[in-house]
Structures are given as C-alpha cells and as structure tokens.
Amino acid sequence: LKSSPSNNEEKEAQTQLTKSDELQRLHSQALSAYQREDYEAAISLLDEILAVCVWDAELRELRAECYIKEGEPSKAISDLKAAAKLKNDNTEAFYKISRIYYQLGDHELSLSEVRECLKLDQDHKQCFSLYKQVKKLNKQIESAEELIREGRYEDAINKYDSVMKTEPEVPIYATRAKERICHCLSKNQQATEAIKVCTEVLQLEPTNVNALKDRAEAYLLEDLYEE
C-alpha cells in the first residue's frame, strides 16, 4: 500500500488481510481440536489452511500426526514427504516416514527412508536405533527368500523363525513369516504341519491367496481332495 496506494491495491490488500485473519483463526481452532484429540476436525481445518498455505511444513507435519492418529498412514506419509522437502535437514520427518513404513510391514522402504535421516545426521539416536533394527530384519528376510529360491526349505523355516524373534512387537512380520513357513512346509511335503501353519495364517487373513494355494497343495499330499 505504501508503494502504490491506489484504490485497487487497497482493495486487494484488505482482502488479503481479511484472509490472513481468517487463516489465523482456523489455525487456532485446528490446534485446539488437536489438543482435545478431535483429529477429524483438526484435519478438516488444516485442509482449509493448507489450500492457501501450500508450503507450510509444520502444518503438514501436524496434519500427518492427525492422519496417524486416525489410522490413515498413507496420507500421513504423503504430508511427511512434502515436509521433508520443504524444511532443510528434516530428520524428524524421515524418521516418522520410516517408522510408518516399518509398522506397515514394508521393511525395504523403511530402510531407504531411515538412511535418508542418517545422511542428514549420522548421530541421530532414534534413526540409528531404527536403522539397526530394520537392517537386521531386512537381511534375515532376504536371506530366507534366497534359501527358498535354492529349495533349502528347512533352513528357510529356521530363518523365518528368527524373523519372528527379531520383531515380536509388529504383528504383520509374524503373519508374513508364517505365510512363508506355510509355503516351505508345503513344498517340503510336510503336509500336516503345512496345513496347521497355513490355517493359522488364514485365521488372520482369510483371503490370503498364497496361504490358500499352499494349504491346497498340502491337502493334495494327504489325498484330502474335497478340502
């Protein structure tokens, strides 16, 4: 306004000021909703603000936290990836992305993201601790899959037993390990054991195609054609 105080400029400036006041009000409401754990309301308010303030990393991080609480990890990842680009040396965003991927059972992407964190700060305690865990688990799974490719099913079963010991807290890894053990037992013609383990997997995931196929193979070995 000081540089060109024409009527048009003044009108535009007043509009922007009004919008700015409105966004500050929405921001206060969003923080309030987050603090009282009404994450759905907070997301709705943050959507409005981020439609205007597209490049605000902290607002994206806040919305990501809300998405995590609401059980929408893929949306949280999207916001955190944007925040990692918008803010320099954003180790926290990379750490959170890696944690989410890990909880979802995607150990390879988790490893990739935690490495990005350590590139920025090799002494980051949380990232280094997570890196050691994911790297160990990733190595065991890769090794087990190599054993399966070589037809060394007993060794692969032992390796997947180790996977379950390495990560007892995140259920998806136990389920995936049992799915692969079920496959190994079936291939190794240990029909009774295969049926037992495949059934455990199918109780958790009734539409798991791999477990259904491997159990079918085990039933064939036992001449249980109806099953």
Side-chain angles (χ1 to χ4, degrees):
L1 277 171
K2 283 177 183 173
S3 64
S4 55
S6 69
N7 286 343
N8 279 351
E9 297 286 345
E10 186 174 351
K11 197 173 177 183
E12 173 65 16
Q14 290 298 341
T15 304
Q16 295 285 11
L17 277 170
T18 305
K19 188 181 276 188
S20 172
D21 290 342
E22 171 67 5
L23 289 172
Q24 284 182 319
R25 187 179 63 78
L26 289 172
H27 187 219
S28 297
Q29 288 178 349
L31 288 174
S32 175
Y34 178 77
Q35 280 155 5
R36 65 172 186 273
E37 299 182 10
D38 185 352
Y39 302 115
E40 198 177 335
I43 289 166
S44 179
L45 291 158
L46 288 165
D47 286 347
E48 284 189 66
I49 306 167
L50 280 160
V52 181
C53 308
V54 183
W55 314 116
D56 193 310
E58 281 170 16
L59 288 177
R60 286 191 177 275
E61 285 172 351
L62 181 60
R63 189 169 66 176
E65 282 299 310
C66 294
Y67 280 137
I68 291 166
K69 301 285 189 187
E70 283 289 288
E72 296 194 70
S74 57
K75 289 183 179 178
I77 286 169
S78 176
D79 267 344
L80 287 167
K81 283 192 169 181
K85 288 192 180 89
L86 291 167
K87 202 157 75 179
N88 286 340
D89 299 341
N90 196 344
T91 52
E92 195 60 27
F94 284 117
Y95 172 70
K96 285 178 181 174
I97 295 166
S98 179
R99 284 283 318 161
I100 294 169
Y101 277 133
Y102 187 73
Q103 296 292 326
L104 291 172
D106 199 329
H107 51 94
E108 289 170 331
L109 279 175
S110 176
L111 189 60
S112 168
E113 294 296 333
V114 80
R115 278 179 174 145
E116 290 302 317
C117 172
L118 290 171
K119 277 182 198 171
L120 296 171
D121 179 5
Q122 62 187 22
D123 298 322
H124 195 290
K125 282 184 182 174
Q126 286 177 306
C127 284
F128 187 65
S129 173
L130 180 60
Y131 171 71
K132 283 197 298 183
Q133 173 71 2
V134 186
K135 191 182 177 190
K136 182 180 178 183
L137 193 73
N138 195 57
K139 193 173 180 183
Q140 286 177 332
I141 292 170
E142 283 181 351
S143 172
E145 287 302 310
E146 183 60 34
L147 290 166
I148 290 172
R149 283 191 290 276
E150 291 169 5
R152 293 166 60 191
Y153 299 116
E154 278 296 333
D155 292 337
I157 289 165
N158 292 334
K159 189 62 73 172
Y160 269 117
D161 281 332
S162 301
V163 167
M164 289 191 278
K165 291 190 183 98
T166 299
E167 185 42 84
E169 303 295 323
V170 183
I172 194 162
Y173 293 107
T175 307
R176 289 288 156 269
K178 282 181 182 176
E179 180 194 311
R180 298 307 278 155
I181 290 169
C182 143
H183 175 72
C184 292
L185 290 165
S186 181
K187 286 284 184 192
N188 216 27
Q189 302 200 334
Q190 293 168 261
T192 309
E193 275 298 300
I195 291 164
K196 178 174 169 282
V197 177
C198 294
T199 302
E200 282 177 29
V201 175
L202 288 162
Q203 282 167 348
L204 296 166
E205 296 180 345
T207 57
N208 186 314
V209 176
N210 295 325
L212 284 166
K213 286 196 295 186
D214 288 320
R215 189 170 69 173
E217 291 289 340
Y219 280 139
L220 284 174
L221 292 169
E222 294 284 276
D223 299 333
L224 296 168
Y225 302 119
E226 283 295 328
E227 285 85 342

